[in-house]
Amino acid sequence: MATSLGFQMTLFIYFLITLLSIFSPVSESNQFCEAGIGYTECGASPYSPSKILIKGGTVVNAHHQEIADVYVEDGIIVAVKPNIKVGDEVTVLDATGKFVMPGGIDPHTHLAMEFMGTETIDDFFSGQAAALAGGTTMHIDFVIPVNGSPSAGFDAYVEKAKKSCMDYGFHMAITKWDEAVSREMEIMVKEKGINSFKFFLAYKGSLMISDELLLEGLKKCKSLGALAMVHAENGDAVFEGQKRMIELGITGPEGHALSRPPVLEGEATSRAIRLAGFVNTPLYIVHVMSIDAMDEIADARKSGQRVIGEPVASGLVLDDSGLWDPEFKTASKFVMSPPIRAPGHGKALQGGLSTGILQLVGTDHCAFNSTQKAFGIDDFRKIPNGVNGIEERMHLVWDTMVESGQISISDYVRLTSTECARIFNIYPRKGAILVGSDADIIILNPNSSFEISATSHHSRSDTNVYDGRKGKGKVEVTISRGRVVWENGQLNIAPGTGKYIEMPPFGYLFDGIGKADSNYLSSLRAPVKRFKATT
């Protein structure tokens, strides 16, 4: 009797497991782990993080490439040279005919972000899992203050990031101004490892700040050695453009792009650059999407101003044609701000990267699923703004820029990893294959191909703006701090294994700022001593 019951129980469990596998909401390739709230541990990596030898590959840094072996111990690169001899206890990865490069660093992401009445579909585990599968080993996410408080926002994001599975850092958004915010900015820089603050010139009524607040923020950033970042769109004009579209009866996703044309991005970029020049502090323009904005950055840099331009993957490789798709689900997935532009802008941005006008590539990964996008089915103003990209960036930049001959392989490393590490003052710990650097490494096969699909990606979203895109150059292995986390199309990760990376202030962009201020003061020839006429 007991045996019969046990057999029946075994059959029931087998049936239950089969049923769950059939009706699981996660695609087969996405079943790297799910249980409880979000994902959980998928199993330990098959390789110990202690000792790895990557043999025979072409090691590529931003300044140099060579055929060499790379030896890793305890998460740190300890040797880069040809013909390294090791014992049997070391895991050997053959990289012959492939490129060994620093893991990507994505400077612009939004994971678990509350926005437009909902929250981005990817949290700090699913988003980072997607990143690792695509060859990105660190990202910098934007903390949104709670009721305007940076400290409260930081605490909230520390909680959100507890499930992280790779290294990450934080930028901080500033959405209001008073003495409390000013003091908390100091705490963020001096105690919390944040060296950048973002100011939104768009999203009127929520995140948008005034020129007065921007000036205060720029001055504070300068005094702290923190980099000011700007979302550059004229929020007042966008608001007017949105009203205009609604009055014309244009309520679909195409209205989003039509309401915020390139001229409004160019104007805000120009204004932010000039105000930063007035304060004499470096400026970082996020998600540069148009020729209009890029031209302003080019003029500023030509004049010697320290301005960084960051295009994102979607702006480089897509155009706005998808927004006119008759199927709302398809069209709405392309809604982001600033919008994806008309054909011609992307090619110009690619040229900006190849000539040095623009310095690095991000994603603005801010993913919402089709249910969330449908909030705006009758009014484009209610469609949550954002697209995916954290998993796709490294492959898209390789295929678009390297395969086409627009940039070198060393340039690729600079644009996807090294320059970000330099700007945010964590180089050469990150962004390099050098002795003493963290063992964040990818092995890319230039002869292998990739295909992007919403059914096989690792984001939780059910759509993908790059769906169906194919190309050459595939990341076959990702190593995160000495652990093989992606190989043979499989992720080996666990929540809570990621590490917060503190980023110190006064990066290279601040070199010489004090001297320039002194020169400015000495050039004023003021105050002039004047004699008052006597009566």
Side-chain angles (χ1 to χ4, degrees):
M1 183 69 176
T3 303
S4 176
L5 283 172
F7 178 69
Q8 292 176 23
M9 182 61 71
T10 301
L11 283 176
F12 174 75
I13 292 171
Y14 176 78
F15 172 77
L16 185 62
I17 291 172
T18 303
L19 196 66
L20 287 171
S21 69
I22 292 172
F23 293 103
S24 171
V26 184
S27 64
E28 183 177 341
S29 63
N30 252 354
Q31 293 176 15
F32 54 95
C33 44
E34 182 164 285
I37 299 175
Y39 298 101
T40 59
E41 185 167 350
C42 313
S45 170
Y47 300 120
S48 164
S50 56
K51 296 179 181 180
I52 298 173
L53 177 67
I54 305 169
K55 194 163 186 65
T58 300
V59 177
V60 186
N61 281 298
H63 62 285
H64 178 66
Q65 67 180 68
E66 62 178 328
I67 296 177
D69 300 341
V70 180
Y71 180 57
V72 172
E73 271 193 21
D74 298 322
I76 302 296
I77 297 170
V78 296
V80 182
K81 60 183 181 180
N83 303 315
I84 297 175
K85 306 298 182 185
V86 295
D88 294 338
E89 76 282 5
V90 176
T91 298
V92 178
L93 301 176
D94 184 7
T96 304
K98 303 172 185 180
F99 294 110
V100 180
M101 299 183 283
I105 307 174
D106 190 338
H108 189 156
T109 62
H110 299 281
L111 302 182
M113 177 192 180
E114 296 168 24
F115 185 53
M116 297 185 71
T118 185
E119 184 173 304
T120 53
I121 197 69
D122 283 322
D123 60 19
F124 275 81
F125 188 75
S126 68
Q128 290 185 355
L132 291 169
T136 289
T137 53
M138 180 179 170
H139 70 108
I140 312 177
D141 209 79
F142 286 91
V143 173
I144 306 299
V146 175
N147 296 323
S149 168
S151 293
F154 181 85
D155 292 342
Y157 271 73
V158 166
E159 190 65 28
K160 292 178 181 186
K162 283 184 176 178
K163 59 177 69 175
S164 66
C165 57
M166 76 178 201
D167 290 356
Y168 62 96
F170 285 147
H171 310 291
M172 175 65 68
I174 299 297
T175 56
K176 76 171 190 178
W177 189 262
D178 55 30
E179 281 305 311
V181 171
S182 178
R183 288 193 300 271
E184 289 182 24
M185 285 178 69
E186 293 188 30
I187 294 170
M188 293 300 107
V189 173
K190 295 176 180 178
E191 299 178 20
K192 304 300 184 182
I194 289 177
N195 66 2
S196 51
F197 295 92
K198 182 180 181 181
F199 303 90
F200 290 87
L201 304 186
Y203 301 119
K204 185 173 182 176
S206 58
L207 299 172
M208 178 178 161
I209 54 94
S210 65
D211 286 355
E212 179 183 10
L213 191 157
L214 178 59
L215 280 167
E216 293 294 337
L218 290 171
K219 290 189 295 182
K220 191 67 178 182
C221 284
K222 180 180 180 179
S223 71
L224 294 171
L227 182 58
M229 311 176 80
V230 170
H231 174 137
E233 288 182 288
N234 187 311
D236 289 320
V238 167
F239 186 73
E240 175 63 28
Q242 291 174 330
K243 288 194 299 180
R244 181 187 301 172
M245 292 305 112
I246 297 299
E247 289 168 358
L248 291 171
I250 301 171
T251 61
E254 70 278 8
H256 177 76
L258 293 171
S259 68
R260 49 209 312 151
V263 65
L264 303 188
E265 185 185 355
E267 185 280 330
T269 302
S270 172
R271 178 160 39 99
I273 287 172
R274 281 160 172 74
L275 291 178
F278 175 66
V279 175
N280 188 30
T281 196
L283 184 68
Y284 184 116
I285 308 293
V286 303
H287 47 44
V288 178
M289 298 292 284
S290 67
I291 295 170
D292 305 54
M294 186 178 71
D295 284 348
E296 297 292 342
I297 293 167
D299 288 346
R301 289 178 62 84
K302 194 181 298 181
S303 72
Q305 192 171 341
R306 299 176 190 194
V307 180
I308 299 295
E310 170 213 88
V312 291
S314 54
L316 292 172
V317 306
L318 300 175
D319 63 50
D320 67 350
S321 57
L323 288 163
W324 271 261
D325 193 284
E327 176 64 45
F328 176 85
K329 179 180 177 180
T330 299
S332 63
K333 73 180 180 180
F334 293 101
V335 170
M336 65 173 291
S337 295
I340 298 166
R341 302 299 187 185
H345 287 271
K347 188 64 179 176
L349 295 174
Q350 293 173 29
L353 280 174
S354 65
T355 57
I357 294 171
L358 305 173
Q359 287 68 52
L360 74 170
V361 181
T363 62
D364 193 10
H365 182 90
C366 188
F368 298 96
N369 65 20
S370 58
T371 301
Q372 293 170 304
K373 291 282 189 176
F375 293 168
I377 195 165
D378 296 317
D379 186 344
F380 68 83
R381 296 172 298 181
K382 298 178 182 178
I383 300 172
N385 289 196
V387 302
N388 61 289
I390 200 169
E391 182 170 359
E392 297 82 9
R393 177 185 70 126
M394 298 293 283
H395 290 114
L396 291 170
V397 176
W398 180 275
D399 184 60
T400 302
M401 301 298 295
V402 179
E403 282 295 319
S404 66
Q406 293 186 78
I407 61 172
S408 69
I409 301 168
S410 288
D411 286 336
Y412 173 81
V413 170
R414 174 175 55 82
L415 294 170
T416 60
S417 184
T418 307
E419 189 58 25
C420 183
R422 291 185 67 237
I423 289 169
F424 295 104
N425 212 14
I426 51 174
Y427 179 85
R429 178 184 179 183
K430 302 290 186 183
I433 306 292
L434 297 172
V435 173
S437 298
D438 286 354
D440 295 339
I441 303 168
I442 60 173
I443 301 175
L444 185 145
N445 186 343
N447 299 312
S448 188
S449 298
F450 67 86
E451 181 174 358
I452 298 170
S453 170
T455 62
S456 61
H457 68 196
H458 295 83
S459 166
R460 285 194 178 126
S461 179
D462 60 345
T463 65
N464 190 309
V465 292
Y466 311 103
D467 203 12
R469 189 179 182 96
K470 301 176 182 179
K472 282 195 70 177
K474 184 172 177 57
V475 176
E476 295 185 338
V477 177
T478 304
I479 298 171
S480 174
R481 280 192 291 114
R483 294 174 295 120
V484 178
V485 293
W486 171 257
E487 188 181 28
N488 299 322
Q490 297 293 319
L491 280 167
N492 294 284
I493 51 176
T497 54
K499 186 175 181 181
Y500 176 60
I501 304 299
E502 294 190 3
M503 298 178 290
F506 293 103
Y508 84 91
L509 290 169
F510 284 86
D511 292 349
I513 288 287
K515 182 67 174 174
D517 283 341
S518 297
N519 292 339
Y520 165 73
L521 291 174
S522 64
S523 72
L524 294 179
R525 299 184 293 115
V528 176
K529 293 182 180 179
R530 291 184 174 87
F531 299 98
K532 293 183 179 180
T534 58
T535 56

